[in-house]
Amino acid sequence: MATHAEAAEHHHGPPVANQSSRVDSRVLGMFLFIASEVMLFGAFFTAYFFVRVVAGSPWPEPPFHLPVFVAGVNTAILVTSSFTIHWALQSIKRDNRAGLQAGLVLTLALGIVFLLTQVREYSRVGFNPGDGAFGTIFYGLTGLHGAHVFVGLTLLTFASIRAFRGHFSAAHHHGVEIPGIYWHFVDVMWIVVYVTIYIL
Amino acid sequence: MSHVTGTSVHVETGHGHGPPPRARHWALRAGWVRAAWMTGFFFLLGLGIVVFFRWLGGYDPTLDWEPVIVVAGLTMAPLGFLAGLGGFDYWVSYALGSPTRPEDHSGHGAYTWRDYFRVNTDHKVIGIQYVSSTVFFFLAGGLMAMLVRAELARPETEFFDTQTYNELFSVHASLMIFLFIIPAFAGLANYVLPLMIGAPDMAFPRLNALSFWLLPIAGIMLLASFFFPGVGAGWTNYPPLSTEQPFGNVFFSMAVQWAGASSIMTALNFLVTIITMRAPGMTFWRMPLLVWANFTTSLLVVIATPFIAGSQFFVMFDKVMHTNFFDPGENGYALGYQHIFWFYSHPAVYIMMLPGFGIASEVISTFSRKPIFGYRLMALSLMAILVLGFSVWAHHMFVSGMATYLRVPMMVTTLLIAIPTGIKVFSWLATLWEGRLHFSAPMLWALGFVSMFVIGGLSGVMLGAVPIDIHVSDTYFIVAHIHYVLLGGSLFTIFAGIYYWFPKMTGRMYNERLAKIHFWLTLVSFNATFFPMHLIGVQGMPRRVATYEPQFGDWNLFISLSSFVLGASFMIFVYNVIVSWKSGPPAPANPWRGMTIEWLVSSPPPVFNFDEVPQVVGNPYEYGVKGARHAILNGDRAAAELEPVRST
Ligand SMILES: [Cu+2]
């Protein structure tokens, strides 16, 4: 490679990599990350399984109650936000910037309402993480999920900033699509948490 | 991603982001100065968060050092360090919607030694950063092993109190596993894997840089734990032993989070790189086995590592926040920890072994001058190990008091893993059969690996059998087994890999004579150290205890003396590497006459690997097959088309 120094003079960057898969690398990366996240939830659900099924902890542990109805309304809020983010993505795919911005803002608002409702629930539910394994698992799983909502909101905030500063187009919208995939995951995960913690 | 011109009129906004880096004040420029003050600043931020929430919740005292250390010291301060060093710069400016800076490759490549001490996006620089720092942590962990053996030379306590002794062997194991074996493999693969598949870099170079810089954080936490006692429950950190340790146990929990995040990010990067960036013609069935090995390992990491993250969160919460995951008095389930922990930590055994299988396959084929025997079966057996590896975790719990009906199924699946592993061993032997063997240092280490690993595998089969396991649980038989697997297995292949790719990575040849002395000294002293442990283990000497019955005294003295020789043997390696790196003879592009793509480029490779992505035309191991080629680089194409090209 005697010509290397010479080549470096002319080349100001790497050669274009061969694209050996139809899947976009960023989308694939997000799916793998979500696989990893699902397993993290899996660890928490395993702990839940041991506490409730193997150790036989009563659920909810008397005298405590779980606010099934309020959490149900909250579930509806989060599910709605999945539709609004989908709308935002479909809008930019048709080059509709106003739709993109409105969809993102609505999603953000719904996500924030969800989190605030959860904080309010924490302050009124009447037990804390130290109240038996029941309290531990309740706060563990809902808290883990809340942290994910927070991460999702952060990603969507970034996407919104960019949307309002003129980024994204019908051809370039990975910056909306990828946080959107994450947001759907957070949503689906909540349904699993809601069903197993509150209803079953 | 979206390139915006025209509409964007945003210029410098002044702090923490924005192009170009040169225009900034020296204290705001990404680097060590900014890392220093941002570490402090983020620590104070964390302190503020803790105080605020404790004040809000009406906790007493408002300033409690335990949550402050966890939140400010072990979480926020490292984040500040990473931000200061520049790990997030690009993403911050992206997130704030600044115009995407055209890639100027200023973060790519190393021209002076300083370039190894910054956030560098070149996979080759990152590979060297990984390997060098993991060797550092290997020496630190090795030093602890020497101290443990010094204590064990005599039956009574000699040098350390029992808690310090417990911390020594716990931190020894944690460093070796999380800061040496796993990341050393990641480092070697980081260097050679993109070259091998004909990619100019990894799929996510900035993520790659970040995953490296998480490692020193984890390592420093483990080392710092000696100032905050508490990492004394073994690397397994079982509750209630761990929850009753002093507060410093959180240093283990958090170090595992940082190291685990690093390995998940790297694994994700490897998977995406392998799937989306292979050179034209590089089908899955033409990938070198090292690539296959890292593909399966990365799948294991992505799926399994979150479980140890979870298990350490639970222990830490039980400790710091007084939750009840594992407190039976509050309906918690202590045994649950072991299930969750081993659901990661058994697959982790393969995370620590499969990349080594890959290295051994590369080395053995190249130095036997023969195609690897049963290439497809080699790849499929990796996948079989991956799948089976998730079905055996409870073989670590035969004496834990778990449901007894789990024992026999777990025993059966454990013994089943001997089949794919056996396929690999026999394939290596068949590759050697009638080959033209060259006993260079990498080959010696690879052959040493095969023989030592077979011993460790056999004791593993013994341990998989419930009755034997019950007899030797928590004895030195276990210590012998794990060291035959992880030292005779993983460490030997890491050395095979380091010697094999040393010319490629540094552009210089190492001293072959010293490398051979290193190998033989390690091999002999390793066996002298660990083989007798089988014997005293079967006789009932318990592990993880600073004192023992006088009847084991003679063997232990012998073991300790051998271990000091073992420790000294690595000094030869360190000397050889440092001297050869500085002044070894220049290495040719292909000193071993290898066929895989990393040998087609110069040593060290050009900063962007290739001028043009190579074309893959055949299998990677067609040694001795006339006219066979694996890949062709630019300029070679016309010549290659004239030659008969073998392909499947
Ligand atoms: Cu195991």
Side-chain angles (χ1 to χ4, degrees), chain A residues 54-129:
Chain A
V54 181
S57 166
W59 202 272
E61 195 173 283
F64 307 123
H65 294 283
L66 287 172
V68 181
F69 177 71
V70 178
V73 173
N74 224 5
T75 309
I77 291 173
L78 203 59
V79 170
T80 313
S81 75
S82 243
F83 287 99
T84 53
I85 188 71
H86 184 70
W87 176 48
L89 180 63
Q90 292 308 316
S91 300
I92 193 62
K93 279 184 179 171
R94 290 188 306 268
D95 247 335
N96 174 1
R97 181 163 301 278
L100 166 75
Q101 290 167 346
L104 280 171
V105 169
L106 266 177
T107 312
L108 273 177
L110 289 167
I112 290 168
V113 169
F114 175 89
L115 269 191
L116 289 177
T117 312
Q118 192 159 6
V119 169
R120 193 184 139 89
E121 184 183 319
Y122 279 179
S123 67
R124 302 203 166 191
V125 75
F127 54 88
N128 63 47

Side-chain angles (χ1 to χ4, degrees), chain B residues 85-132:
Chain B
L85 210 56
F88 304 121
D89 276 18
Y90 177 87
W91 293 314
V92 169
S93 72
Y94 172 84
L96 297 179
S98 308
T100 319
R101 192 190 327 150
E103 185 58 80
D104 61 355
H105 304 291
S106 59
H108 208 87
Y111 302 93
T112 71
W113 62 271
R114 280 193 185 82
D115 290 332
Y116 289 99
F117 289 88
R118 61 182 178 85
V119 176
N120 202 309
T121 50
D122 183 347
H123 75 94
K124 300 184 289 300
V125 176
I126 294 171
I128 288 175
Q129 287 176 325
Y130 258 104
V131 175
S132 323

Side-chain angles (χ1 to χ4, degrees), chain A residues 1-4 7-8 11-48 50-52 54-58 61 128-137 139-141 144 154 157-162 165-169 172-176 178-179, chain B residues 1-4 7-8 10 13 91 93-100 103-105 198-200 203-204 264 267-268 271-282 299 301-304 306-307 309-311 313-314 317-318 321-327 330-333 335-337 339-340 343 390 600-602 604-613 633:
Chain A
M1 296 298 280
T3 56
H4 159 226
H11 273 263
H12 287 289
V16 179
N18 181 47
Q19 173 78 25
S20 57
S21 164
R22 268 164 301 174
V23 190
D24 180 87
S25 60
R26 290 156 294 184
V27 174
L28 180 63
M30 180 47 90
F31 276 115
L32 288 169
F33 178 61
I34 288 175
S36 192
E37 293 271 58
V38 167
M39 292 308 286
L40 183 61
F41 273 94
F44 278 71
F45 277 113
T46 311
Y48 176 30
F50 282 123
V51 164
R52 187 159 168 193
V54 181
S57 166
E61 195 173 283
N128 63 47
D131 283 323
F134 161 71
T136 299
I137 296 292
Y139 278 95
L141 262 168
L144 177 75
T154 312
T157 307
F158 297 159
S160 309
I161 294 174
R162 284 179 74 80
R165 293 186 77 171
H167 295 260
F168 305 129
S169 66
H172 294 283
H173 48 259
H174 275 111
V176 184
I178 291 168
Chain B
M1 212 163 266
S2 50
H3 253 276
V4 169
T7 53
S8 15
H10 324 292
T13 35
W91 293 314
S93 72
Y94 172 84
L96 297 179
S98 308
T100 319
E103 185 58 80
D104 61 355
H105 304 291
F204 308 115
I264 291 177
L268 192 151
L271 287 172
V272 176
T273 308
I274 294 170
I275 293 172
T276 66
M277 290 175 76
R278 280 165 290 125
M282 177 71 85
L299 280 173
V301 170
V302 167
I303 298 169
F307 263 67
S311 74
F313 276 133
F314 302 153
F317 292 159
D318 271 12
M321 294 165 64
H322 309 292
T323 56
N324 308 300
F325 283 102
F326 304 123
D327 182 356
E330 297 277 357
N331 280 328
Y333 191 64
L335 208 51
Y337 174 88
H339 283 289
I340 296 170
F343 192 75
F390 280 107
L600 301 184
V601 293
S602 59
V607 67
F608 295 118
N609 293 357
F610 313 104
D611 295 333
E612 194 186 302
V613 167
L633 274 183

